[in-house]
Amino acid sequence: MNSISIIGACYGAYGEATKTFDVTSKVQKLITRSGDSLEVDNHMFNDPCPGHSKHFGAVYKVNGQTKAVACKEGQRVTFS
């Protein structure tokens, strides 16, 4: 399994910084424990802004390369 290091990750309403959670440490713990993918939803991260569509974004490092991933709420992301 590749060693994945999460540099930064956030979850919340697109363009609404005050309605966004920093989920960096939680994502790092989840992928360290469960593998290189996860499904992004309110159950995983709580709901920073009820009634709004949420997005997830992360910057991470794997095998010496810095990469980024983004998705909408309810989608699965893979860090590879």
Side-chain angles (χ1 to χ4, degrees):
M1 188 165 106
N2 295 327
S3 176
I4 300 166
S5 176
I6 304 299
I7 297 167
C10 61
Y11 178 68
Y14 184 75
E16 296 285 337
T18 60
K19 296 180 180 177
T20 302
F21 290 156
D22 179 339
V23 295
T24 305
S25 62
K26 183 161 188 166
V27 172
Q28 184 67 66
K29 288 176 189 172
L30 288 166
I31 62 167
T32 298
R33 182 176 59 226
S34 303
D36 66 354
S37 71
L38 59 94
E39 185 157 340
V40 175
D41 59 21
N42 291 331
H43 177 71
M44 174 100 33
F45 299 122
N46 296 321
D47 192 345
C49 49
H52 291 83
S53 296
K54 270 70 73 183
H55 293 79
F56 171 83
V59 176
Y60 63 100
K61 191 171 264 194
V62 61
N63 296 329
Q65 292 184 317
T66 301
K67 299 183 177 188
V69 65
C71 73
K72 293 180 181 178
E73 161 185 25
Q75 294 181 322
R76 178 168 285 280
V77 293
T78 301
F79 300 87
S80 57

